C-alpha cells in the first residue's frame, strides 16, 4: 500500500442465471479499476436473510421487490478494498448502468 488509506466495500452482484462470463467480466472490470478482491463467495439468500439484510427498507413500497430481486438466484458477494472504494464502486455502477449486475453496494464504517 502506498500510504493511502484503503476503504473496504461490499458488492453483491446478481448475474442473470448462472452467467459465469458476466462474473468473469465483472472481476476483470474490478481489477481494471485497481480494486483488491479480498473475498468472493457465491450463494443464494433465503427470504429471511434478505428481509434482515434490507430491514431498513421494511415498510416501504420497494421492500418486497428488493427481497424478491436478491433472492431470485445465486448472487456473488465481493469484499473489495481501494482508497475511496465506496465512491469508486458507486461511480462504476452508475457508468456501467444496467450492464453491471450490482444489487447492493456499501462501504462499511470502520
Amino acid at each position: 500500500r502506498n500510504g493511502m488509506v484503503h476503504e473496504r466495500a461490499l458488492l453483491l452482484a446478481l448475474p442473470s442465471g448462472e452467467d459465469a462470463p458476466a462474473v468473469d467480466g465483472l472481476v476483470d472490470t474490478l481489477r481494471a479499476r485497481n480494486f483488491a478482491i479480498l473475498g468472493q463467495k457465491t450463494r443464494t439468500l433465503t427470504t429471511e436473510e434478505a428481509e434482515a439484510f434490507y430491514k431498513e427498507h421494511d415498510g416501504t413500497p420497494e421492500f418486497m421487490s428488493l427481497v424478491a430481486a436478491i433472492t431470485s438466484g445465486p448472487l456473488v458477494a465481493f469484499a473489495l478494498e481501494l482508497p475511496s472504494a465506496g465512491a469508486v464502486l458507486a461511480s462504476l455502477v452508475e457508468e456501467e448502468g444496467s450492464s453491471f449486475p450490482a444489487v447492493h453496494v456499501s462501504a462499511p464504517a470502520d
Side-chain angles (χ1 to χ4, degrees), residues 39-75:
Q40 177 181 339
K41 184 174 182 178
T42 302
R43 67 178 299 235
T44 302
L45 294 182
T46 67
T47 299
E48 293 77 23
E49 289 170 323
E51 288 173 347
F53 184 78
Y54 283 123
K55 68 183 172 201
E56 72 270 10
H57 298 284
D58 195 5
T60 66
E62 68 269 6
F63 179 69
M64 291 311 295
S65 62
L66 289 169
V67 170
I70 205 168
T71 59
S72 66
L75 60 82

Side-chain angles (χ1 to χ4, degrees), residues 1-80:
R1 298 184 189 195
N2 55 9
M4 298 185 77
V5 176
H6 282 61
E7 179 180 82
R8 291 187 176 182
L10 171 68
L11 168 65
L12 300 180
L14 189 62
S16 55
E18 291 287 337
D19 195 356
V23 172
D24 291 343
L26 178 55
V27 169
D28 291 344
T29 299
L30 293 169
R31 287 191 175 133
R33 293 290 180 108
N34 298 316
F35 278 98
I37 299 174
L38 305 176
Q40 177 181 339
K41 184 174 182 178
T42 302
R43 67 178 299 235
T44 302
L45 294 182
T46 67
T47 299
E48 293 77 23
E49 289 170 323
E51 288 173 347
F53 184 78
Y54 283 123
K55 68 183 172 201
E56 72 270 10
H57 298 284
D58 195 5
T60 66
E62 68 269 6
F63 179 69
M64 291 311 295
S65 62
L66 289 169
V67 170
I70 205 168
T71 59
S72 66
L75 60 82
V76 184
F78 293 93
L80 306 169

Side-chain angles (χ1 to χ4, degrees), residues 70-96:
I70 205 168
T71 59
S72 66
L75 60 82
V76 184
F78 293 93
L80 306 169
E81 189 175 63
L82 184 76
S84 302
V88 174
L89 194 53
S91 173
L92 177 61
V93 170
E94 186 176 311
E95 287 172 26
E96 296 288 328

